[in-house]
Amino acid sequence: MRARAVAGPVVVVALAASSACEIVRPVDPLEAHPDVVALALLLVAGESEARLLAVHPHRDVADSTPEITAFLDGPGWTASFSESVRLPTCGELGGSWLVPSKCLRAKLPEAIEPGGEYGLWGTAPLGSFTGETGVPELPLLVDPANTLRLSMPDTAGLIQIPMRYAVGPETGTVLADLYDVFEISEDGSEEEIPTSHIGAYPVALENAQADTIRIYQDGVRMRLSLRLLGIGWNYTNFAKYPGIDPLPRPWPSFGIEGEGVYGYFDGIAHSETRRVFVGQTGRHDRN
């Protein structure tokens, strides 16, 4: 039976904080045609839209952005990437870029399914391209199983959060993601702070079933949300070769093939959220 998508906040993919993945990378000079297009597409389980990053990696930043057509095939439907939106809407799909770039959005007739299979096709200046990928099943966060309450240490510093989890073989990268971080004052009022104040997240987990993350606290009570992100093997393989010139042949599968096109096409799914409280009982606890 296929797992259903978990309701929750939209996943803002900030992969540049968690890996060396860079869509604009050195290539063999013989392949450095100015019309080459690099694509990055990561389908998010539970979302009813998709976002595609397209760049000209061998052009100057002042040049025109790529002229492409692209379509996403789902179970019984096809959606067009017809809407151009602001670049931040594509999150950090390609890391930083100083080349002509555009972010395209497709509205989907249904939400992306964990475990679902999807296709990509279209045209670029040098020819056509196709792609296919599967979205990972939802990661299972085994421990903490419910709301986690941590005592406030005597001094400021790092707090460890051990985790146990399970992912399927279709998952190549597992990330720990923290968000909705609030500091709690003595009178009970709360102030949201950037996640970067407590650590660089999301962060890749090194082990297959268990790992420990660390968060920084400076003596102020706080609460935050914790979840896992599971990404497939197309992105994982692509991120394994940062800056290699040229990539070893034959290339591993990144999910996209075509004339004058490279990049990755993959899926990402998130676990259920766990609430974490540091130094207080957790009046916002809903578990």
Side-chain angles (χ1 to χ4, degrees):
M1 181 174 66
R2 178 175 294 174
R4 298 183 63 186
V6 173
V10 171
V11 174
V12 178
V13 183
L15 299 180
S18 60
S19 78
C21 182
E22 174 60 73
I23 196 74
V24 179
R25 53 177 60 181
V27 297
D28 189 323
L30 295 178
E31 299 175 350
H33 193 288
D35 287 335
V36 164
V37 174
L39 301 176
L41 174 55
L42 201 60
L43 302 178
V44 182
E47 289 193 10
S48 56
E49 69 174 47
R51 296 168 292 280
L52 173 68
L53 176 68
V55 306
H56 273 314
H58 311 310
R59 288 184 176 270
D60 186 79
V61 67
D63 292 341
S64 60
T65 58
E67 292 296 329
I68 70 167
T69 61
F71 301 87
L72 181 69
D73 285 339
W77 53 261
T78 296
S80 171
F81 287 93
S82 57
E83 182 182 2
S84 182
V85 294
R86 295 176 63 248
L87 277 175
T89 307
C90 277
E92 298 289 346
L93 286 173
S96 60
W97 56 86
L98 292 174
V99 291
S101 309
K102 69 167 52 173
C103 181
L104 298 173
R105 178 165 61 189
K107 297 294 183 66
L108 311 181
E110 62 182 14
I112 297 295
E113 286 281 347
E117 300 288 335
Y118 297 88
L120 176 70
W121 55 280
T123 59
L126 295 180
S128 62
F129 61 88
T130 60
E132 58 183 20
T133 195
V135 179
E137 296 287 356
L138 304 179
L140 176 62
L141 187 51
V142 178
D143 187 22
N146 298 292
T147 295
L148 178 63
R149 298 181 178 87
L150 302 173
S151 300
M152 180 69 70
D154 295 332
T155 59
L158 295 176
I159 299 176
Q160 294 189 351
I161 301 180
M163 294 187 300
R164 291 189 301 115
Y165 42 87
V167 297
E170 74 283 354
T171 299
T173 299
V174 184
L175 307 175
D177 184 33
L178 301 181
Y179 62 99
D180 287 349
V181 182
F182 289 84
E183 287 188 341
I184 306 167
S185 64
E186 291 299 324
D187 64 6
S189 60
E190 299 182 341
E191 178 181 1
E192 187 170 8
I193 63 173
T195 301
S196 59
H197 285 195
I198 64 172
Y201 288 91
V203 63
L205 302 179
E206 300 297 331
N207 300 314
Q209 296 178 319
D211 209 332
T212 298
I213 62 171
R214 294 163 180 82
I215 60 174
Y216 177 80
Q217 59 78 29
D218 58 3
V220 178
R221 294 181 299 165
M222 63 181 176
R223 65 177 177 92
L224 55 104
S225 297
L226 164 67
R227 65 183 171 187
L228 296 180
L229 305 177
I231 313 177
W233 284 101
N234 289 339
Y235 168 83
T236 301
N237 288 334
F238 187 84
K240 282 168 58 179
Y241 301 99
I244 295 178
D245 179 15
L247 290 178
R249 303 295 183 98
W251 288 0
S253 174
F254 305 141
I256 294 177
E257 297 180 352
E259 295 295 327
V261 174
Y262 75 91
Y264 67 85
F265 175 34
D266 211 336
I268 181 171
H270 63 87
S271 71
E272 292 184 339
T273 295
R274 301 289 185 257
R275 306 299 181 185
V276 180
F277 296 90
V278 179
Q280 72 121 16
T281 56
R283 58 189 175 87
H284 294 269
D285 182 6
R286 292 293 183 270
N287 288 343

